[in-house]
């Protein structure tokens, strides 16, 4: 077990660490003091179900538990009750750190502002690997998704790489635009805390006037976003906003439309801001590559080159390495930030490093003559909506378990769910999706078709599912 993470924070004691959107500021000295008061309530190396918000309580709790050597199961504050129950049953955490409004039938042992630390009475019948630091979901939508097992070495490696290529300084101020249980959002938190920078914490959305008032008042220097955020920013007329403190913007969480990307690159170029495109996965502790802002226009659509300490190569269907340019293969990544593996339940927490520093991304890519990489598709049936990776087969499985056999297709904007006329009720399908996932109505459509197309062996012919030729319910 390594506890090097955040071990250097004492040299930043007088720096402003956190700023709430109500204007309250907290120094590193203050939050480390708070963190110590929480950590003494924890006995041994324990698992903690951590319900996250972009708040002072969440950041302090995170610091406290990481420094204490606990294993955190990170989930969003908006998690569905049945998904929360499922996690409690499968992982049996010893503690829960949660907002006060979340009611659990367990004893509260410590109160910190608007959060509580509760001790569960669940039987601890499992062991924890010494390398394990975090369990973080591969998907932002379903409670049944696997958790990625991230180690302390994974976190350290990713922090060091990000700090190096983004040149993060102690006078930087990052404003939150994503939840901290999302690997990209957490990566921003980790990298900025490690350098004694400030994090501006808000639960407000970018469509709220209060978000931009907060941004300007406390002079944010950077923010990150998934493609959807930039679609919204365009509607908000971002190009007309006067944000003199802004130094750079990062984009990850899925491929961005090239016209939209080009527009933001131009906006930033005119205002002498840096727009940095990145590529990553939860399994790589957030990020694997970046496209230098200097190359953003010339190499538009590229995910760039590997982060410091990482390596890419392409593999053909037979497992042979592709050396020639512009030949498509599966993108493979090597680096110290590659996770240990997955966890489906508490008995997986003892497992060691199953990946050995190598990740098969499942993405199909090619590289040009200058070794810039381009994602051109996916090997498996995944989409990325609001930066979260969603397995379409998993959505189908949820529906099937509820008696609805519905094939799904989609892209990074919307999932289409197909039902046969007079066989399945549309309202039932919609209810299942809303109750068992975090998908908003705007991210899925239910399509009525006469018959699900299948081949002779009964397999669904996904290529024959085309909503243009059917009636949208």
């Amino acid at each position: 077990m390594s506890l090097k993470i955040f071990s250097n924070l004492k040299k930043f004691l007088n720096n402003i660490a956190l700023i709430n959107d109500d204007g309250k500021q907290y120094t590193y000295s203050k939050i480390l003091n708070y963190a110590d008061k929480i950590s003494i309530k924890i006995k041994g190396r324990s698992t903690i179900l951590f319900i996250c918000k972009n708040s002072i309580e969440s950041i302090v709790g995170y610091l406290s538990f990481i420094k204490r050597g606990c294993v955190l199961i990170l989930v969003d504050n908006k998690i569905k009750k049945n998904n929360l129950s499922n996690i409690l049953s499968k992982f049996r955490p010893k503690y829960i750190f949660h907002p006060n409004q979340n009611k659990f039938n367990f004893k509260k042992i410590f109160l910190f502002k608007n959060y509580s630390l509760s001790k569960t009475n669940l039987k601890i019948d499992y062991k924890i690997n010494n390398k394990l630091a975090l369990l973080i979901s591969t998907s932002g939508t379903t409670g049944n998704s696997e958790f990625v097992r991230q180690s302390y070495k994974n976190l350290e490696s990713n922090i060091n790489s990000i700090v190096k290529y983004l040149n993060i300084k102690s006078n930087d101020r990052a404003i939150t635009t994503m939840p901290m249980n999302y690997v990209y959002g957490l990566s921003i938190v980790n990298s900025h805390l490690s350098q004694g920078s400030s994090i501006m914490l808000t639960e407000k959305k970018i469509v709220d006037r209060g978000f931009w008032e907060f941004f300007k008042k406390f002079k944010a220097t950077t923010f990150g976003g998934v493609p959807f955020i930039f679609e919204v920013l365009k509607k908000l007329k971002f190009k007309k906003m006067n944000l003199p403190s802004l130094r750079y913007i990062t984009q990850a969480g899925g491929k961005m439309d090239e016209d939209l990307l080009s527009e933001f690159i131009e906006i930033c170029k005119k205002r002498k801001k840096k727009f940095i495109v990145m590529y990553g996965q939860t399994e790589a502790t957030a990020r694997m590559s970046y496209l230098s802002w200097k190359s953003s226009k010339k190499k538009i659509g590229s995910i760039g080159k590997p982060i410091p300490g990482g390596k890419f190569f392409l593999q053909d269907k037979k497992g042979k390495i592709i050396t020639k340019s512009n030949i498509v293969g599966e993108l493979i990544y090597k680096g110290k930030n590659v996770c240990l593996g997955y966890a489906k339940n508490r008995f997986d927490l003892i497992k060691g490093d199953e990946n050995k520093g190598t990740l098969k991304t499942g993405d199909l890519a090619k590289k040009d003559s200058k070794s810039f990489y381009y994602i051109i598709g996916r090997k498996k049936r995944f989409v990325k909506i609001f930066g979260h990776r969603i397995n379409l087969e998993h959505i189908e499985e949820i529906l099937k378990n509820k008696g609805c056999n519905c094939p799904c297709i989609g892209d990074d904007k919307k999932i289409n769910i197909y039902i046969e006329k007079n066989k399945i009720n549309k309202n039932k399908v919609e209810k299942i999706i809303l109750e068992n996932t975090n998908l908003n109505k705007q991210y899925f459509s239910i399509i009525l078709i006469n018959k699900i197309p299948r081949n002779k062996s009964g397999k669904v012919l996904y290529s024959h599912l085309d909503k243009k030729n059917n009636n949208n319910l």
Side-chain angles (χ1 to χ4, degrees):
M1 183 170 67
S2 169
L3 292 176
K4 292 179 183 177
I5 304 170
F6 306 133
S7 61
N8 66 330
L9 298 189
K10 287 186 178 179
K11 67 181 182 181
F12 305 122
L13 291 180
N14 295 323
N15 289 17
I16 300 297
L18 307 175
I19 307 171
N20 268 358
D21 58 11
D22 61 3
K24 289 183 181 178
Q25 301 183 36
Y26 300 83
T27 63
Y28 276 87
S29 176
K30 191 74 172 176
I31 68 169
L32 287 171
N33 184 45
Y34 282 147
D36 288 342
K37 288 180 179 179
I38 298 174
S39 66
I40 60 174
K41 301 294 179 180
I42 302 293
K43 292 184 179 180
R45 180 163 151 77
S46 307
T47 51
I48 301 175
L49 178 59
F50 194 111
I51 299 178
C52 302
K53 294 181 75 173
N54 288 330
S55 67
I56 170 72
E57 296 92 339
S58 270
I59 301 293
V60 169
Y62 175 70
L63 265 179
S64 175
F65 302 136
I66 286 289
K67 287 169 67 64
R68 185 69 176 80
C70 296
V71 174
L72 304 182
I73 307 170
L74 301 178
V75 299
D76 189 78
N77 181 51
K78 299 182 180 68
I79 188 171
K80 306 286 184 181
K81 282 187 178 179
N82 55 338
N83 291 338
L84 197 58
S85 298
N86 189 34
I87 292 170
L88 283 169
S89 174
K90 284 185 175 181
F91 289 93
R92 293 190 184 177
K94 191 171 183 177
Y95 301 93
I96 307 173
F97 191 60
H98 58 92
N100 293 336
Q101 65 263 32
N102 292 98
K103 306 298 181 184
F104 294 98
N105 294 319
F106 302 121
K107 183 181 178 181
K108 292 182 179 180
I109 61 172
F110 189 74
L111 295 177
F112 174 55
K113 297 184 180 292
N114 296 314
Y115 259 64
S116 301
L117 178 66
S118 295
K119 186 177 181 181
T120 73
N121 54 10
L122 302 171
K123 184 180 178 182
I124 309 300
D125 56 354
Y126 56 92
K127 294 181 179 180
I128 305 169
N129 189 287
N130 281 338
K131 295 178 180 179
L132 186 61
L134 297 179
L135 296 181
I136 191 162
S137 177
T138 58
S139 163
T141 57
T142 61
N144 295 324
S145 60
E146 292 178 313
F147 282 88
V148 165
R149 295 182 289 118
Q150 291 182 350
S151 71
Y152 295 101
K153 184 173 77 173
N154 294 156
L155 294 173
E156 288 168 13
S157 173
N158 201 250
I159 287 170
N160 292 338
S161 295
I162 291 167
V163 167
K164 186 175 181 179
Y165 76 73
L166 290 182
N167 192 26
I168 297 172
K169 304 290 187 182
S170 61
N171 61 351
D172 274 317
R173 286 189 167 180
I175 189 168
T176 57
T177 51
M178 295 168 283
M180 68 174 285
N181 59 287
Y182 174 40
V183 69
Y184 184 13
L186 185 63
S187 174
I188 292 171
V189 168
N190 284 335
S191 54
H192 284 81
L193 284 180
S194 74
Q195 298 306 296
S197 311
S198 302
I199 300 174
M200 295 167 56
L201 297 164
T202 182
E203 288 280 299
K204 291 184 173 71
K205 305 296 182 186
I206 59 170
V207 293
D208 298 332
R209 179 180 292 179
F211 176 93
W212 298 106
E213 289 173 350
F214 180 48
F215 188 110
K216 292 176 181 179
K217 183 175 181 179
F218 292 98
K219 300 178 180 179
T221 63
T222 181
F223 70 89
V226 297
F228 176 77
I229 285 178
F230 294 98
E231 291 173 16
V232 175
L233 285 174
K234 181 179 179 178
K235 292 176 183 176
L236 293 174
K237 294 183 170 54
F238 179 78
K239 65 181 180 181
K240 293 184 179 180
M241 291 185 186
N242 183 29
L243 305 171
S245 64
L246 182 63
R247 185 165 74 86
Y248 69 93
I249 301 170
T250 60
Q251 182 268 312
K255 191 173 183 178
M256 199 161 154
D257 176 83
E258 287 195 9
D259 289 339
L260 184 63
L261 178 58
S262 181
E263 184 175 334
F264 272 87
I265 289 170
E266 282 299 316
I267 292 169
C268 289
K269 187 178 178 181
K270 286 179 182 178
R271 298 189 176 190
K272 296 183 180 179
K273 319 289 185 186
K274 297 176 182 178
F275 191 90
I276 302 166
V277 175
M278 297 176 299
Y279 164 76
Q281 290 183 2
T282 310
E283 288 85 347
T285 322
R287 302 179 232 186
M288 291 178 272
S289 74
Y290 71 105
L291 180 64
S292 167
W293 63 276
K294 292 179 181 178
S295 303
S296 58
K297 191 70 176 177
K298 186 178 179 182
K299 299 290 184 179
I300 195 163
S302 172
I303 60 168
K305 296 187 176 185
I307 59 175
K311 292 181 179 179
F312 277 146
F313 62 91
L314 299 171
Q315 210 171 58
D316 66 17
K317 290 180 180 179
K318 294 181 180 180
K320 291 183 179 180
I321 295 176
I322 297 168
T323 56
K324 294 181 179 179
S325 301
N326 298 311
I327 304 295
V328 176
E330 182 177 6
L331 185 64
I332 313 295
Y333 175 80
K334 279 181 174 279
K336 290 181 180 179
N337 53 316
V338 174
C339 72
L340 303 174
Y342 298 102
K344 291 183 178 179
N345 55 54
R346 61 193 180 279
F347 302 115
D348 290 335
L349 304 188
I350 192 60
K351 289 181 178 180
D353 188 355
E354 296 177 316
N355 288 325
K356 308 296 183 186
T358 300
L359 176 65
K360 293 185 174 182
T361 67
D363 285 327
L364 298 175
K366 64 180 181 179
K367 66 175 180 177
D368 66 16
S369 59
K370 301 293 184 181
S371 293
F372 283 83
Y373 285 80
Y374 296 77
I375 302 294
I376 63 154
R378 295 201 177 96
K379 191 176 178 183
K380 296 180 180 179
R381 297 183 60 233
F382 286 104
V383 296
K384 269 195 174 182
I385 292 179
F386 202 66
H388 295 298
R389 192 172 70 213
I390 299 165
N391 188 336
L392 295 177
E393 290 176 2
H394 196 168
I395 300 293
E396 291 176 354
E397 183 183 344
I398 289 171
L399 290 164
K400 190 174 182 180
N401 289 339
K402 300 289 184 180
C404 300
N405 203 342
C406 310
C408 303
I409 62 173
D411 54 27
D412 290 355
K413 293 185 177 179
K414 183 169 279 192
I415 294 171
N416 296 319
I417 303 167
Y418 292 83
I419 64 174
E420 291 184 346
K421 289 179 181 178
N422 305 319
K423 285 191 176 181
I424 299 174
N425 183 276
K426 177 237 180 180
N427 293 330
K428 180 182 178 181
V429 171
E430 183 177 284
K431 186 179 179 183
I432 292 168
I433 295 296
L434 294 175
E435 288 182 353
N436 292 275
T437 80
N438 287 336
L439 277 174
N440 189 287
K441 281 186 180 182
Q442 72 186 93
Y443 297 131
F444 68 92
S445 294
I446 299 172
I447 314 295
L448 183 66
I449 56 177
N450 292 318
K451 191 175 182 180
I452 294 172
R454 299 178 186 274
N455 63 14
K456 290 181 180 179
S457 62
K459 289 186 178 180
V460 175
L461 297 169
Y462 289 98
S463 60
H464 290 208
L465 289 168
D466 183 357
K467 71 175 183 177
K468 291 178 182 177
N469 298 323
N470 293 293
N471 298 313
N472 194 333
L473 284 176

